[in-house]
Amino acid sequence: MAPAVLSSFATEIIIPVCSVIGIVFSLVQWFLVSRVKVTPDNNGPPSSNSKNGYDDYLIEEEEGVNDHNVVIKCAEIQNAISEGSTSFLFTMYQYVGIFMVVFAILIFLFLGSVEGFSTKSQKCTYDVTMMCKPALATAAFSTIAFLLGAITSIISGFLGMKIATYANARTTLEARKGVGKAFVTAFRSGAVMGFLLAANGLLVLYITINVFKLYYGDDWEGLFEAITGYGLGGSSMALFGRVGGGIYTKAADVGADLVGKVERNIPEDDPRNPAVIADNVGDNVGDIAGMGSDLFGSYAESSCAALVVASISSFGIEHDFTAMCYPLLVSSVGILVCLITTLFATDFFEIKVVDEIQSALKKQLIISTVLMTVGIAIVSFIALPTSFTIYNFGVQKVVYNWQLFLCVCVGLWAGLIIGFVTEYYTSNAYSPVQDVADSCRTGAATNVIFGLALGYKSVIIPIFAIAVSIFVSFSFAAMYGIAVAALGMLSTIATGLAIDAYGPISDNAGGIAEMAGMSHRIRERTDALDAAGNTTAAIGKGFAIGSAALVSLALFGAFVSRAGIQTVDVLTPKVFIGLIVGAMLPYWFSAMTMKSVGSAALKMVEEVRRQFNTIPGLMEGLAKPDYTTCVKISTDASLKEMIPPGALVMLTPLIVGTFFGVETLSGVLAGALVSGVQVAISASNTGGAWDNAKKYIEAGASEHARTLGPKGSEPHKAAVIGDTIGDPLKDTSGPSLNILIKLMAVESLVFAPFFAAHGGLLFKL
């Protein structure tokens, strides 16, 4: 077997350098966004600039750029949204901080008790002839890794929210100069979040590995077992961010839509609507901060799963640092690839008309995937030996470097397929959503039936894509193959997140344009940005769910190996009861989150109605609504309601592992994975389709759409009802489910030593 071309020293330079490049690039993008001023410009007309073949100044005059009141109003609204988002996240992080400390203590106690808190070295799990560090050390380092992952996850979400609230009004103001400029501002802001998150996640993980190595030395098995805490920390924060943020945003959205649009017949984001600020705050705390933490969690877990399996394979046994860091090298190249890809959207090509937005975003996905394939090939052939062995449930399997290259590529391309299928089912440019819109002719009931059918049907191709990638990657490189396939899907995470964050930023920009009383033309531009953003958000969720399935399976494999289970036999009653209970959990979890949104929305609807009925002059626009009460309703509801679903996910593996043992727990994990993926994809796509069917009718861009419209018509009201039902599906239950399946798997892996030693108390009686 020929050794890797890349030396350990080169690896130690490449990974941190790529991370730093990512961070610097995101700061440059932030600087470019900050050059759009949100203060009135008193210097008179700007100098003539004819980049597009006509005079910029003329359009600016035409669109009222020098209207100082509009700029001041935009700045005021932006501040209100930013303050609301920041105060909600700070309050949520206080709750989550308490949980973090309690859970960190639990990890330490459970793992420390495996060898009775002994400080003596113990025999290694996989190679009994070797001595490894004591279980107490693994307990301490796992706890530290958990806290690091949690803090990085929180920071990722918070920074994403900050840049989004910084950029929303700037996007609105740029929309006066044309759709191209607004697009670039929104996309750059998304890129800030994408690159900060990808680079931070990689850098913190890399530094953690090197610091832990100072203690562990040659005991790589113990070292990478402790590192799994990093993934657990990332995902547990993501769960609360996703569920809490999702309940917040949808309570406000449903309340604003039902009273504003259906009962009072006023436009979306009308400043007279008391829930409008809460609705815009929700976009930032749910879709941005929640999504950021979620994808960071996936990224951390897939890296951890790959590292754990590699540490007990020839990479770890022979202490080949470069090959061991293969997952991190793939992510490093990913940052560079995404950097080049981003320039295609912001610098190389310019968007001149509305129709180009969607294709520009699609090109981002295609360019990043094609370039990444080349990047993976280079990394695979310089960082890996020509052949090596991978641990496969007790035996070492011989694998070649080209096979590992194919494993990563299968994940990468499966992600692209899932993205495009999701787009087909949720974009109003294609027949599925147009059929749903058409069904609104006969009322809300047929709209709901068509939407549900679309969601169930949209599961088929993504599941086949996931199944093929699992089969190919497992055949080539066992569980390690699946872990790197998940990493392949997430390798272009910076671009994926940029596209994803672009959606809520455009949504907010449209809201600000409406509230600031800007002209109809500007609102049309922001609506076009928002409609494209809606589809990209659905694509982002497709990626998140697909990668969660692969990550969860890889973690499941690592758990089965670590817990010492020879085979998971479905026919044994212990496993089967776990399987059937596990398959039920996504439904239980969805029921909790949906009901939470429903009860919070109920309070919101009552408050909005109360204000319309009791504040004189509100409908006429003479009095200002009380926005803060609505923000408070959403905040209180989401913080109270996020705890039960969170507890369900976090406690299930602990209870099952402790009382029923590792076999039953393996059944629960398999069941939750199999049913969770289906429920998550169908919920996300149903909600996305209903939302875009409503937008299709509102835009009235085709002859067919005009026969259903305009706003306020009966078909439009039916579409709004569908959209309202779809809100909690696509933004609360659906996206939170992918965290459920990953989090239970990574938690089981972290606690596996305890479950293997002391689990199954009921069967021991």
Side-chain angles (χ1 to χ4, degrees):
M1 113 179 175
V5 180
L6 201 66
S7 68
S8 295
F9 178 68
T11 306
E12 286 177 27
I13 291 172
I14 289 172
I15 296 171
V17 164
C18 288
S19 305
V20 172
I21 289 172
I23 292 168
V24 169
F25 182 72
S26 67
L27 295 176
V28 170
Q29 298 297 316
W30 186 308
F31 169 72
L32 291 170
V33 171
S34 72
R35 285 168 62 184
V36 180
K37 292 285 172 274
V38 198
T39 47
D41 188 12
N42 300 321
N43 305 335
S47 61
S48 169
N49 169 12
S50 55
K51 179 180 176 187
N52 298 343
Y54 44 65
D55 198 331
D56 250 2
Y57 169 49
L58 292 173
I59 325 172
E60 295 199 345
E61 279 298 290
E62 182 185 302
E63 294 296 351
V65 162
N66 297 327
D67 183 351
H68 289 197
N69 296 340
V70 165
V71 182
I72 291 165
K73 223 167 184 179
C74 283
E76 278 173 10
I77 298 161
Q78 181 189 28
N79 281 340
I81 294 171
S82 183
E83 281 167 20
S85 307
T86 310
S87 72
F88 169 72
L89 286 182
F90 270 128
T91 318
M92 184 172 86
Y93 293 153
Q94 285 165 6
Y95 279 74
V96 168
I98 299 166
F99 156 80
M100 218 160 83
V101 173
V102 171
F103 209 75
I105 295 168
L106 271 183
I107 293 174
F108 183 73
L109 293 177
F110 271 63
L111 294 182
S113 67
V114 171
E115 296 284 331
F117 295 100
S118 150
T119 51
K120 293 192 186 76
S121 292
Q122 54 176 356
K123 286 182 177 170
C124 295
T125 313
Y126 298 99
D127 184 355
V128 194
T129 57
M130 305 281 286
M131 293 303 281
C132 283
K133 297 283 189 231
L136 194 64
T138 304
F141 282 103
S142 292
T143 308
I144 295 167
F146 167 76
L147 291 170
L148 278 172
I151 292 163
T152 313
S153 182
I154 284 176
I155 291 171
S156 300
F158 187 74
L159 287 176
M161 182 281 296
K162 270 295 178 208
I163 178 65
T165 52
Y166 183 78
N168 49 18
R170 287 173 165 79
T171 305
T172 311
L173 294 173
E174 286 291 270
R176 298 173 309 176
K177 301 176 189 173
V179 76
K181 286 195 163 59
F183 171 80
V184 168
T185 304
F187 193 81
R188 279 203 169 118
S189 319
V192 174
M193 178 185 177
F195 283 92
L196 268 181
L197 188 138
N200 276 342
L202 178 62
L203 194 59
V204 175
L205 180 59
Y206 180 72
I207 293 169
T208 309
I209 290 170
N210 279 314
V211 171
F212 283 16
K213 225 165 82 177
L214 299 175
Y215 169 79
Y216 277 100
D218 283 346
D219 175 15
W220 284 19
E221 182 189 302
L223 164 65
F224 290 103
E225 191 171 299
I227 289 287
T228 50
Y230 184 71
L232 176 60
S235 249
S236 52
M237 293 306 104
L239 175 72
F240 291 107
R242 258 295 191 209
V243 175
I247 293 169
Y248 185 107
T249 177
K250 291 303 118 182
D253 200 356
V254 171
D257 282 0
L258 281 182
V259 184
K261 289 202 290 201
V262 177
E263 292 179 9
R264 296 277 168 172
N265 222 353
I266 57 176
E268 190 161 1
D269 297 316
D270 192 295
R272 293 169 292 178
N273 194 330
V276 71
I277 293 285
D279 184 7
N280 281 294
V281 167
D283 291 336
N284 294 298
V285 295
D287 297 349
I288 298 253
M291 185 69 183
S293 294
D294 178 4
L295 279 175
F296 166 75
S298 279
Y299 166 75
E301 284 163 338
S302 55
S303 304
C304 291
L307 291 167
V308 168
V309 181
S311 69
I312 50 176
S313 304
S314 64
F315 300 160
I317 297 163
E318 292 161 15
H319 295 98
D320 181 349
F321 187 71
T322 302
M324 192 70 216
C325 285
Y326 177 69
L328 302 184
L329 286 165
V330 168
S331 305
S332 304
V333 172
I335 291 175
L336 301 181
V337 163
C338 292
L339 193 152
I340 298 164
T341 310
T342 303
L343 296 176
F344 276 94
T346 57
D347 295 86
F348 298 159
F349 298 105
E350 189 179 5
I351 287 183
K352 292 191 176 67
V353 291
V354 165
D355 296 344
E356 291 173 5
I357 302 170
Q358 190 81 35
S359 65
L361 293 168
K362 266 169 82 169
K363 278 178 198 153
Q364 284 288 297
L365 287 175
I366 297 167
I367 294 166
S368 62
T369 304
V370 171
L371 291 178
M372 194 62 211
T373 307
V374 178
I376 295 165
I378 296 167
V379 172
S380 303
F381 294 112
I382 66 168
L384 295 171
T386 45
S387 72
F388 41 89
T389 63
I390 293 289
Y391 183 85
N392 179 22
F393 299 117
V395 294
Q396 294 284 354
K397 176 184 172 79
V398 177
V399 179
Y400 298 96
N401 54 5
W402 61 268
Q403 290 177 312
L404 219 47
F405 159 69
L406 289 177
C407 291
V408 187
C409 283
V410 157
L412 178 68
W413 286 88
L416 188 68
I417 291 167
I418 292 172
F420 280 160
V421 170
T422 309
E423 189 214 13
Y424 174 71
Y425 279 106
T426 57
S427 165
N428 52 27
Y430 303 105
S431 60
V433 170
Q434 291 172 8
D435 290 347
V436 171
D438 193 61
S439 71
C440 295
R441 287 175 194 281
T442 45
T446 40
N447 180 26
V448 170
I449 294 166
F450 269 69
L452 287 171
L454 176 144
Y456 298 146
K457 193 175 171 190
S458 70
V459 174
I460 301 167
I461 299 172
I463 291 298
F464 277 120
I466 293 169
V468 168
S469 45
I470 289 170
F471 182 78
V472 171
S473 50
F474 189 87
S475 305
F476 281 149
M479 278 300 169
Y480 187 69
I482 292 173
V484 292
L487 258 176
M489 205 176 272
L490 290 165
S491 58
T492 52
I493 183 173
T495 296
L497 262 168
I499 292 174
D500 212 75
Y502 154 88
I505 292 170
S506 308
D507 193 355
N508 262 208
I512 292 172
E514 181 78 46
M515 284 187 268
M518 288 183 158
S519 75
H520 179 62
R521 284 182 60 183
I522 293 172
R523 182 69 221 216
E524 274 179 4
R525 288 171 190 169
T526 55
D527 275 354
L529 291 171
D530 182 23
N534 243 343
T535 305
T536 57
I539 292 174
K541 283 167 195 147
F543 261 93
I545 296 163
S547 62
L550 293 176
V551 170
S552 172
L553 187 61
L555 291 164
F556 175 66
F559 161 73
V560 168
S561 303
R562 182 62 189 85
I565 304 170
Q566 296 309 314
T567 52
V568 178
D569 184 357
V570 183
L571 294 175
T572 55
K574 272 187 195 176
V575 176
F576 194 81
I577 56 168
L579 198 64
I580 201 159
V581 169
M584 172 273 295
L585 288 173
Y587 292 92
W588 188 0
F589 180 83
S590 298
M592 282 178 162
T593 49
M594 296 278 287
K595 187 147 188 286
S596 300
V597 172
S599 54
L602 199 66
K603 289 183 192 140
M604 187 68 77
V605 166
E606 284 166 0
E607 173 58 25
V608 176
R609 275 183 189 153
R610 182 194 69 75
Q611 290 197 29
F612 273 125
N613 293 333
T614 59
I615 299 177
L618 181 56
M619 264 311 274
E620 294 74 36
L622 303 172
K624 271 185 83 170
D626 173 11
Y627 296 128
T628 38
T629 309
C630 290
V631 171
K632 190 174 181 329
I633 287 174
S634 258
T635 304
D636 294 347
S638 58
L639 293 173
K640 190 173 104 232
E641 302 280 359
M642 75 180 181
I643 295 165
L648 173 73
V649 178
M650 300 302 290
L651 295 177
T652 299
L654 289 178
I655 293 168
V656 173
T658 307
F659 293 106
F660 298 92
V662 285
E663 281 99 345
T664 308
L665 181 53
S666 65
V668 168
L669 295 178
L673 166 63
V674 168
S675 83
V677 174
Q678 332 278 344
V679 179
I681 296 176
S682 66
S684 292
N685 291 350
T686 293
W690 275 327
D691 193 349
N692 274 343
K694 175 202 71 176
K695 283 199 164 57
Y696 175 73
I697 294 174
E698 287 175 352
S702 68
E703 191 54 46
H704 175 238
R706 284 192 286 277
T707 61
L708 298 167
K711 285 184 182 180
S713 66
E714 287 307 313
H716 178 250
K717 283 185 176 172
V720 170
I721 291 170
D723 174 36
T724 312
I725 300 168
D727 275 337
L729 283 172
K730 80 175 191 315
D731 289 322
T732 313
S733 298
S736 306
L737 280 173
N738 61 55
I739 304 176
L740 169 129
I741 55 182
K742 293 181 309 198
L743 186 52
M744 283 178 29
V746 74
E747 191 184 329
S748 304
L749 174 59
V750 170
F751 286 102
F754 174 80
F755 297 150
H758 305 298
L761 295 178
L762 287 181
F763 295 127
K764 288 176 181 170
L765 294 175

